Every structure is written in structure tokens, then in C-alpha cells.
Amino acid sequence: MASSTVSFIIIIIIITTVLLPSLSSQLSDLFPSNNPPPFLGKHSHPIKQPNHHQQYRYETRYFSQPLDHFSFLDLPRFRQRYLINTEHWVGPSRSGPIFLYCGNEGDIEWFAVNTGFVWDIAPRFGAMILFPEHRYYGDSMPFGSKEEAYRNATTLSYLTAEQALADFAVLITDLKKNLSAEGCPVVLFGGSYGGMLAAWMRLKYPHVAVGALASSAPILQFEDIVPPETFYNIVSNSFKRESSSCFDTIKNSWNALRSEGQKEDGLKQLSKTFHLCRELTSVQGLSDWLDSAYSYLAMVNYPYPSNFLMPLPGRPIREVCKRIDGSPAGSSILERIFNGVSVYYNYTGEVDCFQLDDDPHGMDGWNWQACTEMVMPMSSDQNTSMFPAYDWDYSAFREGCQRDFQVTPRPRWITTEFGGHDIEHVLKSFGSNIIFSNGLLDPWSGGSVLKNISETIIALITKEEDPDWLVEQRATEIKLIQGWIYNYSKKMKATFEI
Amino acid sequence: MASSTVSFIIIIIIITTVLLPSLSSQLSDLFPSNNPPPFLGKHSHPIKQPNHHQQYRYETRYFSQPLDHFSFLDLPRFRQRYLINTEHWVGPSRSGPIFLYCGNEGDIEWFAVNTGFVWDIAPRFGAMILFPEHRYYGDSMPFGSKEEAYRNATTLSYLTAEQALADFAVLITDLKKNLSAEGCPVVLFGGSYGGMLAAWMRLKYPHVAVGALASSAPILQFEDIVPPETFYNIVSNSFKRESSSCFDTIKNSWNALRSEGQKEDGLKQLSKTFHLCRELTSVQGLSDWLDSAYSYLAMVNYPYPSNFLMPLPGRPIREVCKRIDGSPAGSSILERIFNGVSVYYNYTGEVDCFQLDDDPHGMDGWNWQACTEMVMPMSSDQNTSMFPAYDWDYSAFREGCQRDFQVTPRPRWITTEFGGHDIEHVLKSFGSNIIFSNGLLDPWSGGSVLKNISETIIALITKEEDPDWLVEQRATEIKLIQGWIYNYSKKMKATFEI
């Protein structure tokens, strides 16, 4: 049980980690940059030894996809990569299920080896495992290379969630046909953005999949469906819960940072305080770096040590606050902050100096998506958030997108296409077989579905502190998925008998 | 009652008439043309006096739409026309319903004035009436004009059903927001291709509309879901039912036509026999002309006189067969055929000579759609069909599309996007509130949903011969729509109370 618990921890962690807004880059007052919130990306690099783990054996294949499913422009097709494992699949004759993980905004191999749950349960279901990669990420580049695909707004224009869903639908339909496996039920998996894709796919392509396990999927984080302060309030509460002085120190640090940065030699001094390898050219990069640490820490604040994004102790926020609060008397605010975030960036103590993200404004896939359709308003409340106060400013956001990508966002498109304000209403009368799985301390949980909507649209809420939650939640999920597959077979039989 | 019965007749007629394949243009043996089957088009010309009928008062408005909803290419927007009537609408405070007719492949004014049912029932529902036009038809032309929009495959590439559905969704979402009418239930209407759109819209955008009345919507007429012979078998049976000798004469006429056409002066002779204004250059045009007459006759073969496509007597097929069978002794097969089709083309006797369609291969919107995604296989069985035997030949069809439009069809896309073989299964577990309304003698009924799928997915089958069917079917439809709206209000109230 121990090893499978670990791999379930890993899936829970990955699914709570993929999206990451950087608030400080929106702080138009303190920090005038307005680029769209950078989400994951940097954590989803290709892995060196994809098949290092016995249970993660897969074959890599490619499938030719239309670049635009919704027009008939004469465009070059592209090769979508997908990973496939059929060793446990019981095949079409026994209606062997197909587990399809909806690839997120990154290299699919990284998601595959970090999604233990799917690998663990596939054998007992006799299931095929499929990990199709999301277009424009990893090795699934239109126009032949990342350089070409990311050249400009024209080449990037087909990087949308709808196109990605259509990719999955076309791939699985073709694959099933070729394998005479039309009668095999498909179950969708996905976390974070991939969890949103899984839920949306179940809504939009109910004929393609019998159910979806959507983990940490903030499908309500659009327009004004949930308050824009939600994300940073949850992060902040995770710190406040450990120590209110820790919360206060972080809250006060932004002004200290700004004052220091404005001094003569201030940037030099900041670079020294934070042990940066290269001297800062503005406080922006440093502020982003701190913001990322706090947000990621809130996502992986588990009671046991983990090694997913960074090597971390159990309850890492407690450890951060211990260091902030327990710094030697006379330490400055910024020295305390440095001591704290070192838990995240240097828990093993091996780092001599820190390298900030060199290209925060680069042509990043998620930034493009955030600047086109995935517009998730983010604010920071001046009372309840430890981050600098910030009111979501769509105009400034739009201008940033026009400047960085020469594209104008469509902030209301996602709710038009997938439903929004009345989504629970719609799910109730029209949806079925979706599990919304959430960790309550996960900052993204505020934008997800947190209550049962019907008998078959289930919200699983877990308190990450409970040592048994992993085992229990996993057992529930398996039972629900078994129910979907059982009902599907029953209906198929009934159809044949008619 | 009389006048409203008439307008209901009209909606039934229109919804069974919009799609029309022309088999003879696929007869690669006898008739080597392989252009995609020409559907309506010619019947949906702009009308001269849109507001001639008191109950069809509407305002014409325009809405700026993105040309491609599913990419962020920097394309020019286009003006979508829509007709709106709010005089009976009880408004947002009383949750007044919105009746949205999904515009088909033609000028929306033509559909509006020929859809009496919507106009008739709107007042009793306190409903707003909306007729949005389908992109690339009527006055809703991308690139500023029909000439530009239909210039080539690139400009036409955004003429797809998915884009049209997104147009409807964006328009209604914006309109409701502007009117603070988010709580007003939308009911979809549509016939033929528009009926397919209504059903698909209910499936893909359940958050946008509470239900759909989809009349004569052949959503199963794709791939091999229904036998490709279905359409022409139903047409043929309508003739055989009246007279088997009539059926035989028509069946034999194609060979007679071919033989005549091959003779010296044969085309001249044919032109004379059929009273054509201009001399034929091939038998193809004449064959298309006959084919159209038979298919349209089967669609409007009502027991009472009608004046929808052409002025026709009641039971027009009986009349056609009377003339074919009852032609003077010694009449040739082709003379009999001419006497027969004159019922369709010249019932009033006012036509001196007949003008065939001058441009059967022209850049027609429906032909483009048939050559891209709306690929509906059509065969003609050599035993059961009175049309020349023809086996659906996808390769030949594709080549025709490549030649005529420089585009390659995606014959499996529609079933991937909207479901296909297991659509009933999917509708049962995932859909609700759709009425599939069919006339049993309608040639398109074979590709529609003909049995109840669940408590809320209802198939209404009508025997057009029954004099009471209009009244009864209409009453049932009204009752079902009332139920949708009632349930919606109930749920909305329940949601507010939580």
C-alpha cells in the first residue's frame, strides 16, 4: 500500500500545482508590469528517463491532426504525441476500458510519470492507458517546431481549449475504430487545467467518454462567478493559520521591498540579501519569485515530506513561518523573508545562489492561453490577503496582452462556450458522471465545484491534514468509476437486446 | 383556428423541405457528374415584402461576430443579421421566454415568414422571437459581400455548423446580458438543417437553451448510421403507394432519357419534349430537374393544397401519377414523364417554357457545407428505388469536392463532434428536452430520431394523411415546451432559495 499511496500523493500534488498565477506581476501600483499571470510551464520540462519506473512503461506514438477542427482553411496538419500502454488492457471483446488523461499545458511525459493513480488502478480495470499531449506543448508542435509554433499571434492562434478537446475526440475516435474498440468505455482524467478539460470534455463530448475525474479544476474561476480574491485568500489563510506574525511579516515585506529597491544601490543590496546569482535590474523579478514560492507552498502544504516540485519537509508552511518568526533578533523584514522562502527554494541547503526566471515575459504557452480565452480574474484583498492589495483591472490586463502577444482577450468566451454562472444548474440537469476532486487547502479549490450536484456529479473534498484521506478518497473514486463502467455495459447490453 | 392551422402547415412544410439531395448528379454511371448533392438554396431567396403579414412584424438588427470563434487569428469580424420581435415579451422581471429559431442555409426573412408556429405561439408564452441568420447566407456575409465571402475555399472556410452554433450562443448570451434577461429561458426551434442545429445546440450548449423543437432533423444521416438508400426509398415508396405503374414508368424513364440524349438531335428533341426555353447541352440538367421535382413532391405530399414551394394540389403525387398513367395511349415514356412533372412545375398552367437551373455547379453555400462536414451518403437501390441505381462512392464524391471547391471533406467529423452511432444512447443518458418532430412520409424522416428516447427526448411521428395530425401535434408540442419552461422556473426558484 505504501508505494501506491505515494503515487496517489503525487497525482494529488500534480493536480493542485499546475496552474499558478503570479499576482505580483499584476500589481500595477507597486509593480507596473501587467503581463498575464504566468501559470506552470517551468515545472513541466521533458524528463530525461521517461521509463525509469517499472509501472510507467509506455509506447510513444504520433497522430496527424488538423490544425483547425472548426474551419476548412488549408492548413498544415501537425503531429500530436500520445503515450499508450495496453499491457493490462483486456481488449474489445471484453469491453476493456480506456483511461484517457487530458494532457495539460506541458510536456506529457512529465504528467504521465507524475500521475500515479491512473497507472495504479489501470490493471485492476483491465484498462488501456492513454496520455495524449496538449497541442503546442512538449513534442506536439504545429508548424514543425516550437520556434515556428510560437513565432507570433498567427501561428499561436490555434492554441485553444476547444481545439485541444477536439484533438482528444478525434484521436480517441480514430483509435477505437482502428482497434474495433467502439464499445470500450473511455474514462477521462485530468488535473488543474487538464481537470477543466476533462470536465468540459464530458460536457461537450458525452458520446466520447462515460465519465471524468476532474481534480482541482477551477472551472468557476471566470468572470465574476467566484470572487477574484479567492485564490490569494486561500494562500494567505494557509500562512495565517500557522502564524499571524508570519502573515504580517510577509504582508509588510512588499513595502520594504519597494523602499529598498528605490534606494541608491538598493537593487544591489536586495540581490545580496536574497543571494541572487545575478544582480536585479528591477524588483519585479524578485517579487514574482517570492509570490511563486508562497503560492506553490500553499498547494503542496501536505503533512508529509514531498519531492514533487522541490524537496520539501512535511507541513512546509509551518517550517517557513518558523524561520520567518524565529530569525535572530534584529533581523530585517527582508532577511526574515529570505530565511522563510529558503525552505521552498533551498531546503536541502545545496544552493549557493538563486537564479530568477530569466524570461518572465517570454512566449509561454499558458501566458498565451491566459491572454486569449483563459482569462481568470485575480485580485488581492487589502485586508485578507498577505499579498499587495490589487484590484483586478481588465483593461490593464488586455493592454498587456496586446503589447506582449498582439492579441485581444475574449474574457466572456469560456462561459459562453462551456457555461458559467448557472453551471451547477446545467450540470444537474444535463451532466452526469463527473467527480470534482479538491483539496480544501488548495488555492484553486475556491474556483472548483465543491458540493455534490446530483447523484452522479460528485464533489470530493479532502482535508489534506487527515492522514487517512488519501486512502479513503482513492477508494471512493475507484468505486465511482466502477459504477460508470458497470452502467455503461448494462446500457450497451440493453441496447443490443432491443 | 383556420388561419393558425395554415401557418402550422407552413412550418411543417418548410421543415420538411429545406434539404434536398439531387441523386442524379451522383449517378456516375449514367450521369458522370459528381458534384456534391445540391440542397435547397434556390427556395430561400430574399422576400420582397417581409412585413406583409400582420403577425410577422419584426425589427432587423445586426450583431458583430468573430469570424472564427475557435482560433485567435486576427480576422475581420462580420455582421450577423437577426430579426427580433419583443411586442409580446413579458420581459426579464417575469422571466419571459426567448424563442430562438436557428437560421438555416438561406435568407432568414424567408424562414421567418414561413415559420408560422413560432409566431403563433409566442403571444401565449409572452415570448420574445429571435431569428438569427446563419453565417454566409442572406445578409450575414463575412468579408462584406457574398462575392467576397464565396470567393474561394479560404474565404468560405469558416462556413461550418460549429461556427454557426457559436454565433447563436454568443449572440443570445450578449443579448440577454444587455437586457438583464439572464434568467429568461431560451427555447430553440429549427427545421431540416436548422433542426439539426437546434438539436445539436441543445446538446452542446445546454446552458444556453432549455429545450429544442427539432423538426425533420436528419442527425443520423451520416456515415453508415442509417442505410444510404433510405432517402430515395421513401421518395420512391410515395410514388409506388399511388401507382406501381407510375413507379415503373419513372424507373424506366432514365434509360429512355439516356438513349434519347445519345441520338443525333436527341438533346434538341428532349428540349422540345420538355418544353425547355433553351436547348439542353447535356441530359444532366434535365435529369437534375426531374429528380428535384420527385423529391420535393415527396416532401410536400400533403392531403390539402399548398403553396409553399410551388402552387400544388392536395396529394400532388397522386395527381402526378394520374397524369403519367393516364396520358393518351401511344404516349412515349418521356411524354408521360413531362405530363407528370408539369404538376409540380406548372400546376397553374402559366408557364410557357421551363428554365432549368443555369448554374448547378455554382458556389453555393450548402454545396460547400456538403463538401466539407455535412457529408450525407446517398444511394439508390436498384430494386426499391425508382431513381437510377447508384452506390454511394465517397472517393468520387471527394474528387468532385476537390475539383469544385478545392477542399477535402471530413466525412467522419460530424459524428465525432456531435455523436453518431450511439447517439440515442448518449441522448438518453445525457440529453433532455428535445422534440424530434417528423412526418413519416418525409424522405428525411429516415435519418431522424423516430422513437422516444427518454421522458424528455420525444419523437413525434405524424401521418400526414390524418386530417387531425396538425392540431394534435401542435398541442403536444406546446404542452412539452410549457413543461420545459415550468421546470426551468421551478429550478431557478429552488436555486435562489438555496
Side-chain angles (χ1 to χ4, degrees):
Chain A
M1 203 60 211
S3 84
S4 53
T5 305
V6 167
S7 47
F8 189 52
I9 294 172
I10 290 176
I11 183 184
I12 291 298
I13 295 173
I14 180 184
I15 62 196
T16 56
T17 318
V18 181
L19 303 173
L20 180 62
S22 172
L23 182 67
S24 59
S25 61
Q26 298 172 11
L27 302 172
S28 55
D29 178 26
L30 273 175
F31 308 98
S33 154
N34 268 304
N35 63 318
F39 284 60
L40 179 69
K42 63 179 167 184
H43 289 295
S44 60
H45 292 310
I47 47 168
K48 297 291 178 292
Q49 295 171 300
N51 291 325
H52 66 292
H53 200 302
Q54 194 270 335
Q55 71 191 120
Y56 299 156
R57 270 196 307 267
Y58 52 77
E59 211 183 299
T60 301
R61 295 191 195 156
Y62 292 86
F63 181 79
S64 169
Q65 288 279 11
L67 187 53
D68 190 354
H69 293 280
F70 305 101
S71 88
F72 283 82
L73 265 190
D74 189 19
L75 293 164
R77 299 172 74 89
F78 75 98
R79 291 193 334 158
Q80 178 178 28
R81 177 167 61 161
Y82 65 100
L83 316 181
I84 182 169
N85 173 308
T86 58
E87 57 187 301
H88 300 289
W89 191 43
V90 298
S93 60
R94 292 170 59 196
S95 300
I98 298 171
F99 286 176
L100 188 156
Y101 177 93
C102 298
N104 313 33
E105 70 287 19
D107 189 286
I108 193 62
E109 293 198 316
W110 188 79
F111 293 108
V113 300
N114 283 299
T115 309
F117 186 52
V118 172
W119 296 96
D120 286 349
I121 68 171
R124 82 159 74 169
F125 281 90
M128 179 197 296
I129 301 173
L130 272 185
F131 279 87
E133 192 162 56
H134 193 296
R135 53 167 60 199
Y136 287 85
Y137 294 101
D139 202 17
S140 299
M141 288 296 164
F143 306 109
S145 70
K146 179 163 187 183
E147 200 190 342
E148 288 302 318
Y150 281 68
R151 183 171 291 282
N152 55 42
T154 301
T155 59
L156 273 168
S157 67
Y158 302 102
L159 169 48
T160 72
E162 296 80 13
Q163 301 280 1
L165 293 179
D167 288 340
F168 297 152
V170 168
L171 169 67
I172 189 67
T173 304
D174 188 84
L175 208 67
K176 285 175 80 166
K177 198 181 170 75
N178 289 343
L179 295 167
S180 303
E182 286 94 339
C184 295
V186 175
V187 178
L188 304 168
F189 294 83
S192 195
Y193 169 52
M196 296 159 78
L197 292 178
W200 288 338
M201 180 119 187
R202 174 69 188 140
L203 271 178
K204 288 288 192 187
Y205 295 88
H207 50 289
V208 168
V210 302
L213 171 54
S215 304
S216 296
I219 60 167
L220 307 178
Q221 196 86 41
F222 293 92
E223 293 189 57
D224 56 351
I225 303 174
V226 297
E229 302 81 19
T230 308
F231 183 93
Y232 285 107
N233 277 349
I234 297 176
V235 174
S236 302
N237 281 337
S238 290
F239 284 81
K240 201 171 202 167
R241 199 180 297 112
E242 291 300 342
S243 150
S244 66
S245 63
C246 173
F247 173 95
D248 290 338
T249 305
I250 295 170
K251 196 170 169 63
N252 293 328
S253 69
W254 310 102
N255 269 340
L257 200 63
R258 187 179 53 172
S259 308
E260 190 67 28
Q262 284 169 347
K263 287 185 191 158
E264 217 190 312
D265 272 348
L267 293 174
K268 195 175 178 180
Q269 191 53 47
L270 280 173
S271 309
K272 221 171 128 186
T273 306
F274 284 89
H275 293 64
L276 304 184
C277 306
R278 273 189 290 178
E279 194 170 305
L280 284 171
T281 52
S282 79
V283 293
Q284 185 64 53
L286 181 54
S287 142
D288 284 351
W289 189 70
L290 297 173
D291 179 322
S292 291
Y294 303 136
S295 298
Y296 280 129
L297 279 161
M299 293 176 183
V300 298
N301 191 31
Y302 295 108
Y304 31 75
S306 68
N307 192 12
F308 175 57
L309 300 173
M310 296 282 187
L312 287 176
R315 301 193 193 285
I317 290 180
R318 180 168 297 175
E319 192 63 29
V320 170
C321 284
K322 258 191 206 158
R323 298 221 193 155
I324 287 178
D325 292 342
S327 290
S331 301
S332 72
I333 286 186
L334 295 178
E335 282 163 354
R336 288 171 190 270
I337 294 295
F338 173 72
N339 292 338
V341 297
S342 292
V343 171
Y344 183 73
Y345 285 119
N346 192 19
Y347 186 63
T348 59
E350 289 164 358
V351 181
D352 290 328
C353 69
F354 298 95
Q355 201 84 43
L356 304 191
D357 195 353
D358 282 335
D359 184 21
H361 304 267
M363 281 296 221
D364 174 75
W366 184 258
N367 284 347
W368 166 266
Q369 291 191 256
C371 261
T372 47
E373 51 179 14
M374 306 298 287
V375 180
M376 297 175 164
M378 289 282 161
S379 294
S380 173
D381 183 273
Q382 66 170 12
N383 298 313
T384 52
S385 161
M386 67 185 195
F387 297 87
Y390 178 75
D391 277 338
W392 169 248
D393 178 350
Y394 174 66
S395 302
F397 178 78
R398 189 191 57 223
E399 283 161 25
C401 293
Q402 288 165 337
R403 183 190 61 230
D404 293 347
F405 287 103
Q406 291 78 55
V407 76
T408 300
R410 294 181 195 157
R412 289 171 53 200
W413 167 243
I414 286 287
T415 61
T416 301
E417 178 68 9
F418 298 111
H421 295 81
D422 53 353
I423 186 94
E424 297 193 5
H425 193 200
V426 167
L427 285 171
K428 185 170 192 154
S429 50
F430 216 71
S432 64
N433 297 1
I434 305 178
I435 303 170
F436 289 98
S437 164
N438 303 280
L440 256 198
L441 305 182
D442 170 14
W444 286 116
S445 65
S448 182
V449 174
L450 291 174
K451 58 180 184 195
N452 290 352
I453 287 182
S454 69
E455 270 179 48
T456 64
I457 311 250
I458 304 292
L460 295 182
I461 310 296
T462 59
K463 290 179 187 151
E464 291 89 333
E465 286 134 334
D466 177 353
D468 292 330
W469 69 269
L470 284 177
V471 180
E472 280 170 23
Q473 178 167 358
R474 183 173 186 171
T476 309
E477 288 169 347
I478 290 171
K479 218 166 128 186
L480 288 167
I481 295 170
Q482 280 170 336
W484 300 343
I485 292 170
Y486 174 77
N487 284 331
Y488 174 80
S489 323
K490 215 170 63 179
K491 269 186 218 153
M492 288 302 275
K493 267 187 207 139
T495 308
F496 281 126
E497 278 159 14
I498 292 167
Chain B
M1 200 63 210
S3 85
S4 52
T5 304
V6 166
S7 46
F8 189 52
I9 293 173
I10 289 176
I11 183 184
I12 291 298
I13 293 174
I14 179 184
I15 61 198
T16 54
T17 318
V18 181
L19 304 172
L20 180 63
S22 171
L23 182 68
S24 60
S25 61
Q26 298 171 9
L27 301 172
S28 54
D29 179 24
L30 271 176
F31 308 97
S33 156
N34 268 305
N35 63 319
F39 283 60
L40 178 68
K42 64 180 166 183
H43 291 296
S44 60
H45 292 308
I47 46 166
K48 297 291 179 293
Q49 295 170 301
N51 291 326
H52 65 293
H53 199 303
Q54 194 269 337
Q55 68 191 123
Y56 301 158
R57 270 196 307 265
Y58 51 77
E59 212 184 298
T60 301
R61 294 193 196 155
Y62 292 86
F63 182 78
S64 168
Q65 289 280 10
L67 186 53
D68 190 355
H69 293 280
F70 305 101
S71 88
F72 283 81
L73 265 190
D74 188 19
L75 294 164
R77 299 172 74 89
F78 76 98
R79 293 194 332 158
Q80 178 178 28
R81 176 168 60 162
Y82 65 100
L83 317 180
I84 182 168
N85 174 309
T86 58
E87 58 187 302
H88 300 290
W89 192 42
V90 297
S93 61
R94 293 170 60 196
S95 301
I98 299 171
F99 287 176
L100 190 157
Y101 178 92
C102 299
N104 316 33
E105 72 287 19
D107 188 285
I108 193 62
E109 294 198 316
W110 188 78
F111 294 107
V113 299
N114 283 299
T115 310
F117 187 52
V118 172
W119 296 97
D120 285 349
I121 68 171
R124 82 157 76 169
F125 281 90
M128 179 196 297
I129 301 174
L130 272 185
F131 280 87
E133 192 162 58
H134 193 297
R135 54 168 57 199
Y136 286 86
Y137 295 100
D139 202 17
S140 299
M141 288 295 165
F143 307 108
S145 70
K146 178 162 187 181
E147 199 189 344
E148 288 303 316
Y150 281 68
R151 183 171 292 282
N152 54 42
T154 301
T155 60
L156 273 169
S157 68
Y158 303 101
L159 170 48
T160 72
E162 296 80 14
Q163 301 280 2
L165 293 179
D167 288 340
F168 297 151
V170 168
L171 168 67
I172 190 68
T173 303
D174 188 84
L175 207 68
K176 285 175 81 168
K177 197 180 170 77
N178 289 343
L179 295 168
S180 303
E182 285 94 340
C184 295
V186 175
V187 177
L188 304 168
F189 294 81
S192 193
Y193 169 52
M196 296 160 78
L197 293 177
W200 288 339
M201 181 121 188
R202 174 70 189 140
L203 271 179
K204 289 286 192 188
Y205 295 88
H207 50 289
V208 169
V210 301
L213 171 55
S215 305
S216 298
I219 60 169
L220 306 178
Q221 197 87 39
F222 293 91
E223 294 189 57
D224 56 352
I225 303 174
V226 296
E229 301 81 19
T230 308
F231 182 95
Y232 285 106
N233 277 349
I234 297 176
V235 175
S236 301
N237 281 337
S238 290
F239 285 80
K240 200 171 202 167
R241 199 179 299 111
E242 291 299 341
S243 149
S244 65
S245 64
C246 174
F247 173 94
D248 290 337
T249 305
I250 295 171
K251 196 171 170 61
N252 292 329
S253 70
W254 310 103
N255 269 340
L257 199 61
R258 186 178 56 173
S259 309
E260 190 67 28
Q262 285 168 346
K263 286 185 192 159
E264 217 190 309
D265 271 349
L267 293 174
K268 193 173 178 181
Q269 191 54 46
L270 281 173
S271 311
K272 219 171 129 189
T273 306
F274 284 89
H275 292 62
L276 305 184
C277 305
R278 274 189 289 178
E279 195 170 306
L280 284 172
T281 53
S282 78
V283 291
Q284 184 65 53
L286 181 54
S287 143
D288 284 351
W289 188 72
L290 296 173
D291 179 322
S292 292
Y294 302 137
S295 298
Y296 279 129
L297 278 161
M299 293 174 181
V300 297
N301 191 31
Y302 294 109
Y304 30 78
S306 69
N307 193 12
F308 175 56
L309 301 173
M310 297 281 189
L312 288 175
R315 304 193 190 284
I317 290 181
R318 179 168 298 174
E319 191 62 29
V320 169
C321 284
K322 258 189 205 161
R323 298 220 194 156
I324 287 178
D325 292 343
S327 290
S331 302
S332 72
I333 287 186
L334 295 179
E335 282 164 353
R336 288 171 190 270
I337 293 295
F338 173 72
N339 291 339
V341 296
S342 293
V343 171
Y344 183 72
Y345 285 118
N346 192 21
Y347 187 63
T348 58
E350 289 165 358
V351 182
D352 288 328
C353 68
F354 298 95
Q355 201 85 40
L356 303 192
D357 193 354
D358 281 335
D359 184 21
H361 304 265
M363 283 296 222
D364 173 75
W366 184 257
N367 284 346
W368 165 267
Q369 291 192 257
C371 261
T372 49
E373 52 181 13
M374 307 298 287
V375 180
M376 298 174 163
M378 289 283 161
S379 294
S380 173
D381 183 273
Q382 66 170 13
N383 298 314
T384 53
S385 162
M386 67 185 195
F387 296 86
Y390 176 75
D391 276 339
W392 169 249
D393 178 350
Y394 174 66
S395 303
F397 178 77
R398 189 190 58 224
E399 282 161 27
C401 293
Q402 288 164 337
R403 183 191 62 229
D404 293 347
F405 287 104
Q406 292 77 53
V407 76
T408 301
R410 295 182 195 155
R412 290 171 53 199
W413 167 244
I414 285 289
T415 61
T416 301
E417 178 68 7
F418 298 110
H421 295 81
D422 53 353
I423 186 90
E424 296 193 5
H425 193 201
V426 166
L427 285 170
K428 184 171 193 154
S429 50
F430 215 72
S432 64
N433 296 1
I434 305 178
I435 304 169
F436 289 97
S437 162
N438 303 281
L440 256 198
L441 304 182
D442 170 15
W444 285 115
S445 66
S448 183
V449 175
L450 290 174
K451 58 181 182 195
N452 289 353
I453 287 183
S454 70
E455 270 179 48
T456 64
I457 310 249
I458 305 291
L460 296 181
I461 309 296
T462 57
K463 291 179 188 149
E464 290 90 333
E465 287 134 333
D466 177 354
D468 291 333
W469 69 269
L470 284 177
V471 181
E472 280 170 23
Q473 177 167 357
R474 182 174 186 170
T476 308
E477 288 169 347
I478 289 171
K479 218 166 130 187
L480 289 167
I481 294 169
Q482 281 169 336
W484 301 343
I485 291 170
Y486 174 77
N487 284 332
Y488 174 82
S489 324
K490 214 171 60 180
K491 270 187 215 152
M492 289 301 276
K493 266 187 208 140
T495 308
F496 281 125
E497 278 159 15
I498 291 167

